[in-house]
Amino acid sequence: MQMLSWPASIALSWLWGLGFFFSIHFAFSYGFVGLILFALPNALGLVLFGVLTGRIGNAAAIRAWIEKAFARYGAIFALYQIAALSLTLFALMAYFALPAGVELPFAVGFAVLAISVFLAEATGFPRIRIVHLALLGVFALLAVFLLTSVSLPGAPRPPAAGLSDGEFWAYLIPLTVGLLAGPWTDLQQWQRAVAVAERGQSVARAFAIGGGIFFVLLLAVGSLGLMLVSPDVTVAPAAIDGRVHAEAVVAASLVGMDGGLYLAAFGLIALIAVVTTCDSGYLALRWFLEKTEQTASNPIMALLPKGLIKSPLPTFVLVFAIAAIGIEASLELEHFMVLYATIFLAYSLALAIQAAKRREPAALRPLLPLSGLVSLGLMAIGYFEHLDPLMIVAVLVPPAAALVWLRTDTDDRATETSGPAGGGTERPESGQGGPITDLPQHGHAGANGNGAAALNGSNGHAPHIWQADADALTAFDHGPLNGNGNGNGHHGLRDKLTDLSGWFDKKWFTIEIVPTYGDTNSVGNVYFASYVGWIGKARELFFRHCMPNFDLNQTPYFILTRNFNHKFKRETKEFEALTVRLKIESFNRKFVKLRHEIRDRMDQMIGEGEQTLMFVETSDYRLIDIPGDVYNAFIPHA
């Protein structure tokens, strides 16, 4: 059952009003070949999403990955879902209810949302997939019934336009690019990817089968636009944009045929397509809101009931309002679709690149809103002014920004754990001072010094000393880190999630901490001193990775904490997974400055600070320069 139920749910939840009604428009306008060219990238987008998402790792890795993406791009995920649900509800009212002569199309829209909410609440996730599998069977039977029962003279009708029409390519190229990247910002598909992985199934296989089912659905619905429309049917250009919109031709052609039987069958197919999108959207929004509510720090949010914050119902009210406004303003489906080939495309590409390269394109992040808005502006001008080549140029702006990043990105991970840092830094001579040198920063970090320093307040000396043997110290790149002894300094996310002794992520040394009741105070949140302990633990493990063979009895020097400060930014509580990270921020002849950060699973900052290390003789505590073996062990990570 699971082998089919997940792909069925994936296919139906990706159908939307866009896939359903626009496939009719494409088939009517450009024939069966045009329909196939529309359906292929639509289905292939699901397949590629499944393949790259499966590469992220197991269920825990995928969940952590998407929760971090929620923290960075939460507004985009929410807006994407609102736009998807709005255009789907709008399409049902505009291209079925109104052509069918329904006097109260808004009542139809409201009833559809009510049915969707009922199904979502009654079944929940992931059981909704069983309902979707049953509805897919009904969908298939009704489509076969219509395609085999309705016989129109001259059907299939010739395309209203040809593939050589400039408008065809102005539609197809933006659709191809937008649909290939579309699933990456769709909450519904992420929720399914996590659920499939949690059940030990292949995410890639589930989405590959789902993509295949979806491709067949698009061909079936598009064929209705070829077989059930009379050859003498014509569609006048819309007043709002001067373009032809053929999404309603099937409903308009079936009115009055066989006492409304065929229209009812088509309406039921459209209802299944819309309801399976809206119930999935309801459950995905609730999942998303529950995740984001846990880390929300807005004081206004704190005044609202948690049940209201986590509920998708206010969002559904907004969806209904947007769809109703669209009907009153005589908008068309394409006016909603433009967002998916411009603004949302920029963020979808960033997420896809992050999954493919297994690291975030941080330098690309500032370009996302800019490239998206530029693309949207060019697309709007090209669409309304009928400048078809400009529409093609517009959709290429976000991929061009991503390509620039890919061509200029330098991946220096292979050199981060061996040899001195670049820039011509030389080993300091004994007795010579020098200015603190700022070093490249990458990512975030946390540190720890359990036993490395006993700290009083936020600034103080450390009577407890971490000791090292000068003759037994080795550089980090000769020590095992990833479990296979190669000491390459970086490993896959799965290893990172399970390496209890920490790992290096570029320049940052990282450990994971899960607070328990022993870390909390009487109020229930984590006690402030626990954070200091975690930072100390990260620092000691950093020392252990860099200098694993120290001898406490023979070390000629001590490493002391000269100062320590930490700024608390957010509270956390028991069992909320945290990452504690630290890196060497700068150094001079005598001191090494470490920067540390503590972040939650959604990458929100819990606290940050810095500490300075100093070095003294074991005999008389005289301040000395950084010992050579410490330099050789630490500097590769600076």
Side-chain angles (χ1 to χ4, degrees):
M1 181 69 73
Q2 291 192 23
M3 288 289 293
L4 289 178
S5 60
W6 282 118
S9 186
I10 289 168
L12 285 175
S13 65
W14 186 233
L15 191 55
W16 300 9
L18 190 162
F20 187 90
F21 288 102
F22 205 70
S23 61
I24 293 174
H25 167 81
F26 237 66
F28 175 89
S29 301
Y30 308 112
F32 194 71
V33 175
L35 173 63
I36 292 178
L37 293 177
F38 165 73
L40 276 174
N42 225 326
L44 187 58
L46 281 179
V47 176
L48 292 176
F49 173 79
V51 170
L52 292 178
T53 301
R55 291 182 58 194
I56 293 174
N58 59 12
I62 297 174
R63 192 186 310 110
W65 195 96
I66 189 57
E67 288 177 1
K68 184 175 291 188
F70 287 168
R72 291 190 176 124
Y73 310 122
I76 294 297
F77 281 101
L79 290 174
Y80 184 102
Q81 203 61 214
I82 291 170
L85 297 174
S86 299
L87 76 83
T88 298
L89 189 65
F90 163 84
L92 181 69
M93 294 190 289
Y95 305 130
F96 175 75
L98 288 176
V102 176
E103 296 183 358
L104 298 173
F106 293 159
V108 172
F110 184 84
V112 166
L113 288 183
I115 293 171
S116 303
V117 172
F118 171 77
L119 280 177
E121 291 287 356
T123 57
F125 191 87
R127 289 193 304 260
I128 194 71
R129 74 187 192 281
I130 307 300
V131 177
H132 288 176
L133 180 60
L135 291 176
L136 179 63
V138 176
F139 188 109
L141 291 174
L142 290 171
V144 171
F145 167 72
L146 286 173
L147 290 172
T148 57
S149 300
V150 180
S151 178
L152 294 174
R157 60 177 307 284
L163 300 185
S164 60
D165 188 285
E167 188 177 74
F168 169 74
W169 297 103
Y171 276 140
L172 182 64
I173 294 176
L175 281 169
T176 298
V177 178
L179 294 172
L180 282 173
W184 288 94
T185 38
D186 188 354
L187 293 173
Q188 300 181 37
Q189 305 313 322
W190 277 110
Q191 188 180 29
R192 281 157 177 75
V194 172
V196 169
E198 286 177 339
R199 282 150 185 79
Q201 300 181 33
S202 168
V203 176
R205 182 173 62 231
F207 276 85
I209 299 174
I213 295 173
F214 179 74
F215 180 75
V216 174
L217 291 179
L218 288 183
L219 294 185
V221 174
S223 296
L224 300 178
L226 293 172
M227 305 297 296
L228 306 187
V229 181
S230 175
D232 57 356
V233 169
T234 59
V235 181
I240 190 172
D241 56 21
R243 292 183 180 270
V244 172
H245 304 278
E247 290 90 343
V249 292
V250 173
S253 298
L254 295 179
V255 172
M257 292 182 61
D258 267 14
L261 175 64
Y262 296 142
L263 180 64
F266 176 73
L268 189 53
I269 291 177
L271 181 65
I272 291 173
V274 173
V275 166
T276 51
T277 297
C278 291
D279 62 11
S280 297
Y282 182 90
L283 293 169
L285 279 169
R286 185 166 66 186
W287 174 64
F288 169 76
L289 293 171
E290 287 174 350
K291 296 293 184 184
T292 54
E293 183 275 335
Q294 295 174 359
T295 55
S297 59
N298 191 314
I300 297 178
M301 299 286 283
L303 300 176
L304 299 175
K306 285 191 175 182
L308 179 63
I309 297 174
K310 295 180 180 180
S311 174
L313 288 176
T315 305
F316 265 48
V317 172
L318 176 61
V319 164
F320 179 79
I322 293 173
I325 292 172
I327 295 294
E328 290 295 323
S330 299
L331 297 181
E332 299 290 347
L333 183 61
E334 290 86 339
H335 302 157
F336 290 88
M337 290 165 52
V338 67
L339 296 173
Y340 296 91
T342 56
I343 293 179
F344 295 141
L345 173 61
Y347 290 89
S348 295
L349 288 173
L351 291 170
I353 291 171
Q354 183 175 346
K357 292 180 70 69
R358 303 197 180 188
R359 61 195 185 93
E360 185 199 6
L364 180 59
R365 204 188 305 175
L367 298 177
L368 298 180
L370 177 61
S371 64
L373 290 173
V374 170
S375 177
L376 177 62
L378 294 176
M379 182 69 73
I381 295 173
Y383 181 84
F384 286 102
E385 296 297 328
H386 291 239
L387 302 173
D388 294 334
L390 187 59
M391 293 174 61
I392 298 174
V393 171
V395 78
L396 298 179
V397 172
L403 182 61
V404 169
W405 177 82
L406 287 171
R407 293 293 301 271
T408 58
D409 175 54
T410 55
D411 187 353
D412 56 349
R413 285 174 296 181
T415 61
E416 283 174 355
T417 56
S418 62
T425 303
E426 297 180 356
R427 177 176 172 176
E429 296 293 336
S430 176
Q432 295 181 358
I436 293 179
T437 305
D438 292 328
L439 296 167
Q441 300 184 16
H442 304 274
H444 3 280
N448 188 330
N450 259 2
L455 303 166
N456 300 318
S458 63
N459 189 1
H461 289 284
H464 191 132
I465 301 162
W466 186 86
Q467 305 176 2
D469 175 18
D471 297 325
L473 301 176
T474 59
F476 166 74
D477 57 320
H478 297 297
L481 172 63
N482 60 357
N484 60 9
N486 63 11
N488 60 11
H490 60 89
H491 22 139
L493 184 54
R494 186 181 183 93
D495 292 329
K496 293 179 181 178
L497 291 172
T498 56
D499 191 346
L500 299 180
S501 65
W503 67 91
F504 275 92
D505 183 4
K506 291 196 169 183
K507 302 298 183 181
W508 294 90
F509 180 78
T510 306
I511 66 170
E512 286 196 339
I513 293 289
V514 178
T516 59
Y517 294 115
D519 299 307
T520 61
N521 57 23
S522 59
V523 179
N525 60 341
V526 171
Y527 188 50
F528 80 96
S530 298
Y531 297 100
V532 178
W534 297 335
I535 296 165
K537 179 176 290 186
R539 194 177 80 174
E540 287 189 351
L541 289 172
F542 169 72
F543 289 161
R544 176 177 176 270
H545 274 283
C546 293
M547 309 174 72
N549 301 317
F550 66 90
D551 187 338
L552 289 173
N553 298 317
Q554 299 181 23
T555 176
Y557 55 82
F558 294 147
I559 302 178
L560 306 182
T561 302
R562 185 170 184 251
N563 55 58
F564 177 98
N565 66 75
H566 182 81
K567 182 177 181 179
F568 299 94
K569 293 196 170 185
R570 292 176 182 266
E571 291 186 347
T572 187
K573 58 184 180 181
E574 69 278 0
F575 307 126
E576 290 187 354
L578 305 172
T579 55
V580 186
R581 311 181 180 187
L582 94 165
K583 73 169 184 176
I584 300 173
E585 184 172 64
S586 60
F587 64 94
N588 62 15
R589 303 296 183 181
K590 298 183 180 296
F591 305 112
V592 176
K593 182 187 290 186
L594 303 179
R595 179 162 187 81
H596 63 259
E597 295 177 356
I598 302 178
R599 293 178 178 263
D600 61 17
R601 290 183 61 179
M602 299 185 71
D603 203 38
Q604 297 187 103
M605 185 76 75
I606 303 299
E608 63 178 338
E610 59 186 25
Q611 53 191 289
T612 303
L613 306 180
M614 58 186 294
F615 307 87
V616 299
E617 296 279 5
T618 55
S619 57
D620 56 7
Y621 282 75
R622 180 178 59 87
L623 182 65
I624 61 174
D625 290 345
I626 300 176
D629 40 24
V630 174
Y631 180 89
N632 291 332
F634 281 17
I635 297 311
H637 310 293

